[in-house]
Amino acid sequence: MKNNKLLRKVLKGLGIALMVIIVLAIILPFVFRKQIVEAVKTEINKSVNAKVDFTDYHLTLFRNFPDFTLGLDHVTVVGVDEFAKDTLANIQSLKVTIGLFSVISGSQYNIKKISIDQPKILLKVLKGGKANWDIAKQTAADTAKAAPAAEPSSFKLSLKKLTITNASIKYDDADAGMYADIKNLNHLLKGDLTADFTSLSTETTIDTIDFSYGGIQYLHKGNISLTADIDADLKNSKYTFKENELRLNNLFLGFDGWVAMPADDIDMDIKFSARKTEFKNFLSLIPAVYSKDFEKVKTGGTLALDGFAKGTYNDKSLPAFALNVLVQNAMFQYPDLPKAVTNINVDVHISNKDGKPNSTLIDIKKAHFEMAGNTADIRMSVATPVSDPAIDGTVKVKIDLAQVKQFYPLDASEQLNGKVDADVSMKGRLSSIEKEKYNEFQAKGQIGVTGMNYKSKDYPQGIMVSELKLLFSPQFVDMPACNIKMGRSDISANGRLDNLLFYIFKNDKLKGTFNSRSNVVDLNEFTGGSSSATATPAATTPQQSSAMTVIEVPANLDIVLKSSFGKIIYDKMELSNVLGIVKIQDRKVTLENLKMDLLGGNMAVSGFYSTQKTQPQVNFNLDIKGFDIPKTYKTFVTVQKLAPIMERCTGKFSTTMSFITDLDGAMSPVYNTMSGNGKLSANNVSVQGFEPLNKVAEVLKIEKFRKIGFDKTEISFSFANGKLEVKPYTFTFEKIKATASGFSSLDQSINYLVNLEIPRELFGGQANGVLNDLVGKANSKGANLTPGNTIFVDLVIGGTVTKPTVKAGVKGSAKEVLEDLKKEAEKQITDKVKEEVGKVKADVQAKIDKLLADANAKAQQIRDQAKAAGDKLVAEADAQGQDLVKKASNPIAKAAAKETAKQMLKEAKDKSQALQDEGNRNAQKVLDDAQKEADKLRNS
């Protein structure tokens, strides 16, 4: 009976405890939700220069009881400055497990697990090396050794598990010419990262990876997995590999050894080797083979692959290393194809005995294979590549391209014919060429291509190389003949390349001079446009029917092209008789008096296109003669934006102009960076249907203004900040003399002053009423005008091209009319400016209010924490003192204890005051920094 009662009490107690736990699990997330999220936001803003946001968040104790799990949905990290349009990270879901008691205690939050689901990552490096992931804010400690330590983080990493699920990563390095596209990456890391020594278990898989470097694709739809167990000495940052396996496509590698990173240097001693010795595993690394029914490919032969890396890696040194590849008596054959690639023998050794770059030795002892009667043999060694490359090699390749389909599966749309014959050898030191001791460096042989014809779904128009010949000598590579036809396009060229070996081994400039000729170049066959148009300078950027991307000009080139083209077709534009010199030098293309016929006239261009900076830039001088106005308007977007009147014009114009502008990613002008000037002359011009002229006709009641024509006029103009400004110019039509000046903007707004001299005889009917009204208004202001044989009228044309405004006054009252119009315009501008300024001020003030409110809250938090810490010190000292007094056994000891307690309390109060003083100083610093930031916002 007693046992039953006891059991009931225990069950009742457990039930109550369980209910309490459930209630707490429901209540605690609501209690601490705001506190944790605010800590996350504070930490982010304190740590990164980027725009970080998330759409929703949730906190629960049920997922990883008894710890909190904070979930953030749709987390985005967007860059600033040059990367303002790039999303560095877009994460579907981010979950962080935080220790319960670290939250309750209010100290640093212990992060135990991190789970990242479906992240899309863009890693980008600009030319010059600036990376979009370099978003960490610099602390005072980063910039000055004597600076105070950075404010401690609100979070402490006590990680036990990290998972990444279904990640997509793109790496685009414009500086190094490297690109990688990774899809469906999954990663698991398990281990106790809080211990000084722990065992880590990692698993990583990548479903597909494309990787290219220097324009060469090394992996296409590759597949990677890595499993590794690691002994981690976290205290000394040393990691020792145990059981592990790396699989790249079908190549399995095992490795052992260790990597240590005690400081900035990376020390290592790693050995690796192929786990499987079948040739097929090595063959899987060749992108073209791996992507074509690889599993069905029949193979034979053996593989041996091993290497090591031992030593220190830093900015100044490399570890010693080696890579050895040996393929013997190998072959492969595709199913359903009659021929095989046989007798494959490869013996390659790359080594470095001491980590000095100049000690690297590349030794390709043999690379031989046979393909349906075609053979290829390569042998090459390179020693002392940095100081003075010693080269010894031969390349012999003879291929009948029509035989390729016998051993490699071509698509149904692919056709391939022609012959390639290469026999090149070289031996000697590069210094011999540098010293012009050509007899000490052997270089001879040739590469020839004849009768080549290639077609595919990507190049349905076909590429034909009737003849291409390269002749090698120590001094240069001569190209006596190159004849290519691509669809309608043909090109013939000859010339020579200098400095080729220095370009390869020393990264010196590749120099060359070529003469090129063509009857027709139809660029639309390669861009998807309609067969009728060509690239021209950006200020006259044509409308494009296909998307354009930035054309990067390679570095370290010094190439001169002397070109002559009968016709170039691009989009809707056709150029003919193109003749001139093009120079390609260090990421810049310079045009020297490039002449061409187009749009019913001709143009000469001098200047450059450059990709030396982050954004492409053009700087051109144009000399245009006899361009057809309607064709020019239809062809060029820039003309449509800055000179909309040309849509309603017929006739021809000539102009000399210079301009400079940045280009965007679609090779279109960034209009607010465009500036330039020039002079334009127009002949036999007719304008009809232009809305501002229709408005003038309506205001003056003179129908002749709806269509005007004039024989000749000359206009000086300039443009900057998206505005085309026209200096005063004069023209005559229908006995009316007009002088106009003003500007038009990209937003189609216009502002022009026009002075008219109109014969009295043109005023009749309703126009007389307008004239009398204008004269009456002028005389009412004391002008005392009497109309003569010529009426002088001033017009102010404003508004936009589609909704113009026109105000008029007769000469003599023009000053008053213009003053009225000026005041009205100024009032409209002032009102608009006030409205916009009001919006900006309101937005800025809202930001300032939030900034100061956040600063006040943080400052108060600092003061409260300091006071709480001080009060705790005083309370503990008082308690300890009272305890000493209680434990004193006699009056003398009690008196001594009271004195000690008094002293302890005084010291505690002093420390408390010091803590509060420091808290006040830190709080004030937060407020001062916020005030400075607020002042900057106000000033901006």
Side-chain angles (χ1 to χ4, degrees):
M1 193 71 174
K2 289 181 179 180
N3 289 337
N4 289 336
K5 288 182 179 180
L6 179 61
L7 180 60
R8 283 197 295 270
K9 286 182 179 180
V10 170
L11 291 175
K12 183 178 180 182
L14 288 174
I16 292 172
L18 182 60
M19 286 298 296
V20 170
I21 290 171
I22 294 173
V23 170
L24 287 175
I26 296 171
I27 293 175
L28 286 178
F30 288 97
V31 173
F32 292 103
R33 183 182 182 187
K34 185 176 181 181
Q35 173 184 329
I36 293 176
V37 171
E38 285 300 319
V40 170
K41 289 183 177 179
T42 300
E43 192 68 24
I44 289 171
N45 291 327
K46 184 174 70 177
S47 304
V48 301
N49 280 315
K51 298 175 182 177
V52 182
D53 197 8
F54 45 88
T55 59
D56 197 10
Y57 62 90
H58 38 84
L59 189 67
T60 178
L61 274 171
F62 289 107
R63 183 180 293 273
N64 290 286
F65 187 82
D67 295 321
F68 282 109
T69 297
L70 173 65
L72 303 179
D73 295 336
H74 300 289
V75 181
T76 57
V77 182
V78 179
V80 296
D81 300 329
E82 299 98 322
F83 304 108
K85 296 182 179 179
D86 295 327
T87 300
L88 170 60
N90 187 339
I91 303 171
Q92 184 77 14
S93 174
L94 172 63
K95 295 183 178 66
V96 181
T97 301
I98 306 170
L100 171 65
F101 295 107
S102 70
V103 175
I104 294 174
S105 67
S107 59
Q108 286 183 316
Y109 300 142
N110 288 332
I111 296 178
K112 296 183 177 182
K113 297 179 185 178
I114 298 175
S115 174
I116 303 172
D117 185 42
Q118 298 182 53
K120 294 181 180 179
I121 311 295
L122 172 63
L123 304 175
K124 196 171 183 180
V125 182
L126 302 177
K127 285 179 294 184
K130 188 169 183 179
N132 70 335
W133 64 83
D134 187 14
I135 60 176
K137 286 184 178 178
Q138 280 196 334
T139 64
D142 294 326
T143 55
K145 291 182 179 179
E151 183 181 340
S153 171
S154 302
F155 293 89
K156 177 184 177 183
L157 205 61
S158 302
L159 202 60
K160 300 291 191 301
K161 185 177 179 181
L162 168 66
T163 59
I164 301 173
T165 308
N166 296 334
S168 297
I169 302 173
K170 287 188 178 181
Y171 177 76
D172 187 359
D173 189 337
D175 195 54
M178 191 181 300
Y179 180 83
D181 187 0
I182 296 171
K183 294 179 181 177
N184 202 18
L185 177 148
N186 293 277
H187 174 74
L188 171 64
L189 168 66
K190 291 191 293 185
D192 185 359
L193 296 182
T194 63
D196 289 343
F197 187 90
T198 186
S199 292
L200 301 177
S201 176
T202 69
E203 293 180 13
T204 305
T205 61
I206 296 175
D207 278 2
T208 59
I209 175 172
D210 292 335
F211 175 75
S212 61
Y213 177 65
I216 299 173
Q217 188 167 50
Y218 291 93
L219 286 173
H220 176 60
K221 295 185 178 179
N223 185 278
I224 294 175
S225 68
L226 170 64
T227 302
D229 291 335
I230 303 168
D231 282 341
D233 181 356
L234 298 176
K235 186 175 181 180
N236 298 302
S237 296
K238 184 175 180 180
Y239 306 90
T240 303
F241 299 100
K242 299 191 297 181
E243 294 298 323
N244 56 79
E245 183 174 81
L246 170 65
R247 179 183 57 77
L248 179 55
N249 292 343
N250 280 37
L251 180 65
F252 291 80
L253 293 175
F255 51 97
D256 59 66
W258 53 267
V259 174
M261 297 175 282
D264 293 335
D265 292 348
I266 301 176
D267 298 325
M268 65 187 71
D269 185 357
I270 299 175
K271 296 178 182 178
F272 60 90
S273 61
R275 290 278 179 87
K276 297 183 179 182
T277 58
E278 294 88 354
F279 170 67
K280 187 171 186 177
N281 302 311
F282 181 74
L283 188 66
S284 72
L285 296 184
I286 302 174
V289 177
Y290 189 68
S291 63
K292 294 273 188 179
D293 297 325
F294 181 76
E295 294 302 324
K296 299 178 182 178
V297 176
K298 178 184 176 183
T299 66
T302 61
L303 162 72
L305 184 152
D306 61 64
F308 73 87
K310 183 177 182 178
T312 301
Y313 174 79
N314 56 33
D315 292 339
K316 298 180 180 178
S317 70
L318 296 169
F321 62 87
L323 172 64
N324 305 299
V325 179
L326 181 64
V327 176
Q328 292 182 312
N329 302 319
M331 59 79 65
F332 70 89
Q333 183 175 9
Y334 279 91
D336 305 324
L337 291 185
K339 302 291 185 178
V341 178
T342 61
N343 200 14
I344 303 172
N345 288 278
V346 178
D347 189 0
V348 176
H349 304 273
I350 302 173
S351 62
N352 185 300
K353 62 184 179 179
D354 56 14
K356 297 177 182 178
N358 198 48
S359 299
T360 302
L361 175 64
I362 302 170
D363 188 8
I364 305 174
K365 293 181 179 295
K366 180 190 291 186
H368 173 85
F369 48 96
E370 299 172 7
M371 308 156 289
N374 301 283
T375 60
D377 281 284
I378 301 171
R379 180 188 62 80
M380 180 69 67
S381 70
V382 180
T384 59
V386 177
S387 62
D388 185 13
I391 306 164
D392 183 5
T394 60
V395 176
K396 293 184 179 181
V397 177
K398 196 165 188 177
I399 300 177
D400 182 352
L401 298 175
Q403 298 296 318
V404 171
K405 62 185 178 183
Q406 299 288 318
F407 57 83
Y408 184 79
L410 300 178
D411 291 335
S413 62
E414 288 182 293
Q415 298 178 25
L416 184 61
N417 293 288
K419 294 184 178 181
V420 177
D421 192 349
D423 187 354
V424 179
S425 64
M426 57 185 66
K427 184 176 182 179
R429 287 192 171 273
L430 214 56
S431 58
S432 299
I433 299 176
E434 193 171 23
K435 296 173 183 177
E436 298 184 358
K437 296 180 179 180
Y438 300 118
N439 61 314
E440 296 180 2
F441 191 97
Q442 300 176 21
K444 60 182 180 179
Q446 68 176 23
I447 297 175
V449 179
T450 56
M452 176 181 162
N453 183 13
Y454 175 69
K455 288 185 178 181
S456 70
K457 63 181 179 181
D458 294 325
Y459 298 98
Q461 68 275 20
I463 299 175
M464 297 180 62
V465 181
S466 58
E467 183 182 17
L468 170 63
K469 185 175 287 187
L470 298 174
L471 304 177
F472 289 79
S473 69
Q475 297 97 319
F476 55 83
V477 178
D478 187 27
M479 187 179 74
C482 175
N483 298 299
I484 301 174
K485 186 172 178 63
M486 298 170 285
R488 295 181 58 203
S489 306
D490 67 276
I491 187 165
S492 299
N494 67 288
R496 56 183 266 182
L497 280 174
D498 296 280
N499 223 36
L500 177 61
L501 293 177
F502 287 90
Y503 176 74
I504 295 172
F505 290 102
K506 294 283 192 177
N507 202 29
D508 285 353
K509 288 184 179 180
L510 179 64
K511 299 180 180 180
T513 303
F514 294 91
N515 299 304
S516 59
R517 301 164 301 282
S518 173
N519 294 312
V520 178
V521 174
D522 188 350
L523 297 175
N524 289 328
E525 290 185 312
F526 305 97
T527 63
S530 59
S531 216
S532 219
T534 192
T536 59
T540 52
T541 303
Q543 291 188 350
Q544 297 160 359
S545 59
S546 56
M548 290 285 289
T549 57
V550 171
I551 301 170
E552 292 286 350
V553 182
N556 284 354
L557 293 185
D558 187 357
I559 306 295
V560 178
L561 304 174
K562 298 177 181 178
S563 304
S564 173
F565 296 90
K567 185 183 294 184
I568 298 177
I569 300 169
Y570 175 65
D571 202 70
K572 299 176 181 178
M573 187 164 53
E574 186 175 296
L575 285 73
S576 57
N577 301 320
V578 181
L579 181 67
I581 295 175
V582 179
K583 293 182 177 180
I584 307 172
Q585 297 169 315
D586 291 334
R587 294 179 174 168
K588 185 163 74 171
V589 177
T590 302
L591 308 181
E592 292 187 356
N593 198 30
L594 188 68
K595 297 180 179 179
M596 62 197 76
D597 296 338
L598 74 159
L599 300 176
N602 57 73
M603 177 171 68
V605 185
S606 296
F608 65 81
Y609 164 78
S610 172
T611 57
Q612 292 175 338
K613 297 180 180 179
T614 303
Q615 280 189 287
Q617 186 184 71
V618 293
N619 188 335
F620 284 120
N621 296 309
L622 308 181
D623 186 358
I624 294 171
K625 290 183 172 64
F627 270 21
D628 181 80
I629 294 177
K631 290 181 180 178
T632 302
Y633 179 85
K634 290 178 181 178
T635 303
F636 299 117
V637 175
T638 307
V639 173
Q640 295 170 12
K641 289 181 176 293
L642 289 176
I645 191 174
M646 293 181 73
E647 182 183 15
R648 301 298 180 179
C649 291
T650 59
K652 295 200 169 193
F653 76 95
S654 300
T655 182
T656 57
M657 63 180 291
S658 61
F659 69 91
I660 183 171
T661 183
D662 291 344
L663 304 180
D664 62 19
M667 296 289 284
S668 295
V670 180
Y671 291 105
N672 61 1
T673 69
M674 183 187 292
S675 62
N677 59 74
K679 289 186 177 181
L680 178 145
S681 60
N683 299 313
N684 300 318
V685 174
S686 175
V687 186
Q688 184 176 8
F690 189 50
E691 197 57 34
L693 289 179
N694 291 339
K695 191 68 175 179
V696 171
E698 179 186 327
V699 169
L700 296 180
K701 305 301 181 186
I702 299 177
E703 289 300 305
K704 292 184 181 294
F705 280 98
R706 295 189 184 275
K707 180 180 179 180
I708 64 173
F710 51 89
D711 294 333
K712 185 175 181 181
T713 189
E714 291 188 354
I715 304 172
S716 294
F717 61 89
S718 62
F719 45 88
N721 299 318
K723 182 188 293 185
L724 174 68
E725 186 168 353
V726 177
K727 296 178 181 178
Y729 67 97
T730 300
F731 60 94
T732 301
F733 72 97
E734 297 286 348
K735 300 181 182 179
I736 299 172
K737 183 179 179 181
T739 301
S741 62
F743 67 83
S744 58
S745 300
L746 288 171
D747 61 3
Q748 300 292 286
S749 62
I750 53 177
N751 193 325
Y752 281 89
L753 171 63
V754 183
N755 307 122
L756 299 173
E757 298 180 18
I758 306 173
R760 178 69 177 83
E761 64 197 54
L762 296 182
F763 283 90
Q766 290 181 313
N768 258 325
V770 173
L771 175 60
N772 293 333
D773 183 51
L774 294 175
V775 172
K777 286 182 179 178
N779 288 337
S780 68
K781 296 183 178 182
N784 195 22
L785 294 177
T786 301
N789 292 329
T790 300
I791 309 301
F792 299 91
V793 178
D794 293 326
L795 302 176
V796 175
I797 304 175
T800 65
V801 172
T802 55
K803 292 184 178 180
T805 61
V806 176
K807 298 202 175 179
V810 292
K811 193 138 186 172
S813 66
K815 183 176 180 181
E816 290 80 3
V817 172
L818 290 175
E819 282 298 322
D820 291 343
L821 293 172
K822 182 180 177 182
K823 287 177 183 178
E824 183 177 341
E826 287 177 348
K827 182 179 183 304
Q828 291 177 352
I829 292 172
T830 301
D831 291 344
K832 184 67 175 174
V833 168
K834 283 181 179 179
E835 181 185 347
E836 293 300 321
V837 168
K839 291 179 182 177
V840 172
K841 280 185 175 181
D843 183 47
V844 170
Q845 191 58 49
K847 291 180 180 178
I848 290 172
D849 291 344
K850 186 177 185 307
L851 177 69
L852 295 179
D854 290 345
N856 278 318
K858 187 173 182 180
Q860 189 58 48
Q861 183 183 20
I862 291 170
R863 293 191 194 99
D864 291 345
Q865 288 174 347
K867 187 176 185 305
D871 291 345
K872 184 178 179 182
L873 277 176
V874 172
E876 288 175 351
D878 187 45
Q880 289 174 7
Q882 294 296 334
D883 191 49
L884 282 174
V885 173
K886 285 180 183 179
K887 290 179 179 179
S889 57
N890 56 67
I892 295 175
K894 194 175 285 290
K898 286 182 178 179
E899 190 60 33
T900 301
K902 183 178 178 182
Q903 185 62 32
M904 288 173 59
L905 188 60
K906 181 179 182 305
E907 289 176 359
K909 288 181 177 178
D910 290 342
K911 288 181 181 179
S912 173
Q913 188 60 49
L915 281 173
Q916 292 185 58
D917 290 343
E918 183 182 2
N920 288 331
R921 286 194 297 272
N922 290 338
Q924 190 58 48
K925 185 178 184 304
V926 169
L927 293 174
D928 290 343
D929 290 345
Q931 191 59 54
K932 288 178 183 177
E933 189 65 28
D935 291 341
K936 286 181 183 178
L937 285 170
R938 286 193 189 93
N939 292 333
S940 67

